[in-house]
Amino acid sequence: MPDAEITLKGQVEEIIFENEANGYKVLAVSGDEDFIAVGKLPAISLGELIEFSGEWVEHPSYGRQLNVQTFRPILPDSEDAIYHYLCSGLIKGIGPRTAARLISLYGPKTLEVLRDEPAKVAKIKGVGLRKAQRIAAQIAEKLEYQDLVLMLTPHGIGTGLVFRIFREWGAGAAARIRENPYDLADEIDGIGFLTADKIARALGLSAADPARLASGLQFQLSQAVYAGHTYLPRLNLLTATAELVSQPVHLLEPVLDEMTADTRLIAFDVPKDGAGIALPIYYQIEKSAARRLNVLLDIPPTRYIDWQDEPTAKRILSESGQALDLELAPEQEQALIMALAQSFCVLTGGPGTGKTTIIRVLTDSFKRHGGRVLLAAPTGRAARRLSELTGCPAQTLHRLLALPFAGQTQNDPALNWLTLQSETPLNCDLLVVDEVSMLDIVLFRSLLEAIVPGTRVLLVGDADQLPAIGPGQVLANLLESGALPTVRLTKIFRQSHESLIVRNAHHILNGDRLETDQSFDSTFIFVAKEDAEAMGLAAIRLASQILPQQYGFDPHRDIQVLTPSHKGPAGTVALNHALQGKVLEAQALMAHGVWFQTGDKVMQMRNQYELEWTVDPDLNLPNERSGSTTTLENAASQGKGVFNGEVGLITAIDDDDDELTVLFDDGRRVIYDRAALEDLDLAYAVTVHKSQGSEYPVVVLVIPPTAPRLLTRNLLYTAVTRARQKLLLVTSKRILHAMLGNWQKTDRFTLLDEWLSATTAKP
């Protein structure tokens, strides 16, 4: 049980460690009690008098430390304290002699005079006006920061966020917040409307203030984007915002009209929903994606033109089929003929229906005739799997596009994509993109911009998977629009049909009862447990003991625990803590309440465009299917960008520099400092949503009682299809029955299908 929060006051005697990127410090403090203070302590300098609040923690190497939650700088008010304050070097330009002279003149009011009356100080011998003004500015900045800390920390805003605000807005931050607290929600990453609203109400702003209502509308649209929508119907937006701000709709309507008039928001007509409202960036991205796709659809393939002739296509495909010792089924041949004849088309189907066979034959056909082929997928694990299956190098879309991110702007990463194009066009004859169900509209738009018109493009995905984590539902929209040539595979091939995982995936789609085989060698085992605690314990035992010891599976490389939720005894937080085991190493780092140590399996939790990576050119990655190694080909040796959902292993920890190194699935090495660690988490257990696009040799799927929106057939199908060799389903019969009967079609408000068929989307 953690110690109760305590408050200690003292002077900073030494800064033992400092990370300038995020303000994390280790301080030696002297006072009534000498102690070590650790935490995000930005803008604290040697000699300052500080009041710290926090709790005692025991570091495995450095012993007892005060883990600081909040702090408050205190200006000294006695002549002795002021002298030590000025002599500490905290205020540049003042030494012991000048400090003594100032105190002899102004006594306890010395700091006030230094801050407010630089002209008076300038008359002192050896100071001068310019130096006096610099001293005044330093003291004023310290007080400004103190003002900001005192204003924000009572509202639950930690010192790390306070530092980010101060760095972003400077000395006028506190005044700006007093003028319009809702700027915090609109411009500072990590602060939402509810926090800004709490501050605003404490400052006395009216509940019906137009700035509050405007921020509420903006917040609801931003939340809609996080939920996958690219717009909201006007009535939905007004109703949801009215509930959020507890104000009637009629007060919101004129505010919304003003926001659309000055283009802070975009209003437009939607045939299926009436009036729609969108954030400008997503409206433009979705519409420009449709325009670009229409261009690509209108231009036929520019190379291997004779392959558009069906007899010629059949001959080409027959040659590759024989060379690969593959016999094509009629619908597979139909899909391949489509891919050779069309410039842009879609292939969809469930597990075991032969999508991989089609990709193998297609890539072989082009390579056999000297064609240039590019293969890509949204995640590193999916790209690696695609490479292993086809024998051709594949990359993530981010690396393939080599997007030169400039960092986030106005709290919205999409702003970097609107005018952004790949540094080099995708010069190839065939581009195959797998796991397209994972593509959000932002990444899809960037992909389209990089494709050279006349290139053959095949998009491959399973339309029944959960949609992308980001905004949009690209694959579903493409299929619904009817604008693209499409083949849907339905036949399960004999070899795949022998797998209980594949058969049960299709049973799930149909809502049918699942088949189980409880034998040792079964590929699909049902572990019945009735409550969340028992389910969590069973999942931990399976992943950490039974599967490694009795089956010989590697806990890091082969086994993945999946669950729908983060919370509870069978959620990711509790499972990760248990599966990580005791943190034994002296070299370990803590961030956002999580210990990280060498060998830990970790996941990037949000897009981070500025993180730099390198690749060892001699690095060989283990091939999970063949047991051999895969060499990284045609891959850049360095670059920027680590993205939501990417998984790796911690290979090194540097205690001195407070950094750790992660080796990701595709061979990139990334060094994380304290600031970057905020976006890293353990990945022994991940949510089903985060597992999209990945495939694992063994999956332990634990489904505890949770919100009905998570207990759906769609989620169960996505989770089951992540397993390749063995799946162990830990849940109750009651929950399983409920999920099989709960088919929820993804209901996202998106416009790509509308724009594809609308004349306004055509160039």
Side-chain angles (χ1 to χ4, degrees), residues 710-758:
L710 294 176
L711 298 179
T712 67
R713 200 190 309 172
N714 324 55
L715 183 137
L716 181 61
Y717 174 78
T718 297
V720 166
T721 53
R722 300 308 91 203
R724 186 167 70 243
Q725 298 176 24
K726 187 180 289 289
L727 183 131
L728 298 99
L729 175 57
V730 184
T731 190
S732 69
K733 291 182 179 179
R734 177 181 57 81
I735 290 174
L736 182 58
H737 178 75
M739 292 184 81
L740 290 171
N742 185 16
W743 178 261
Q744 291 187 0
K745 185 179 184 298
T746 302
D747 188 19
R748 289 187 173 185
F749 295 109
T750 59
L751 290 166
L752 183 61
D753 53 340
E754 295 282 348
W755 296 139
L756 281 171
S757 57

Side-chain angles (χ1 to χ4, degrees), residues 7-67:
T7 298
L8 294 172
K9 187 186 298 183
Q11 189 169 33
V12 179
E13 295 290 346
E14 181 184 359
I15 299 177
I16 300 170
F17 171 82
E18 178 178 13
N19 184 324
E20 293 182 359
N22 67 347
Y24 182 86
K25 289 185 175 73
V26 178
L27 306 176
V29 184
S30 66
D32 294 337
E33 177 181 352
D34 294 347
F35 59 94
I36 300 296
V38 299
K40 288 187 176 179
L41 305 168
I44 288 182
S45 305
L46 276 175
E48 280 197 280
L49 186 63
I50 307 290
E51 183 180 88
F52 299 96
S53 295
E55 60 186 29
W56 293 116
V57 295
E58 195 71 27
H59 190 280
S61 298
Y62 304 118
R64 193 179 190 221
Q65 302 174 335
L66 184 69
N67 186 21

Side-chain angles (χ1 to χ4, degrees), residues 204-272:
L205 266 72
S206 164
D209 190 290
R212 178 174 188 260
L213 304 185
S215 184
L217 290 162
Q218 185 96 10
F219 173 77
Q220 285 294 3
L221 278 176
S222 298
Q223 290 299 106
V225 169
Y226 290 131
H229 308 290
T230 56
Y231 78 97
L232 285 178
R234 178 184 171 96
L235 182 59
N236 294 41
L237 174 60
L238 287 168
T239 303
T241 307
E243 184 176 349
L244 173 72
V245 300
S246 301
Q247 296 295 310
V249 167
H250 72 82
L251 289 182
L252 286 161
E253 287 179 318
V255 176
L256 178 56
D257 290 340
E258 182 180 340
M259 295 177 77
T260 57
D262 63 18
T263 68
R264 279 179 285 169
L265 303 178
I266 301 294
F268 51 92
D269 291 328
V270 185
K272 55 189 177 185

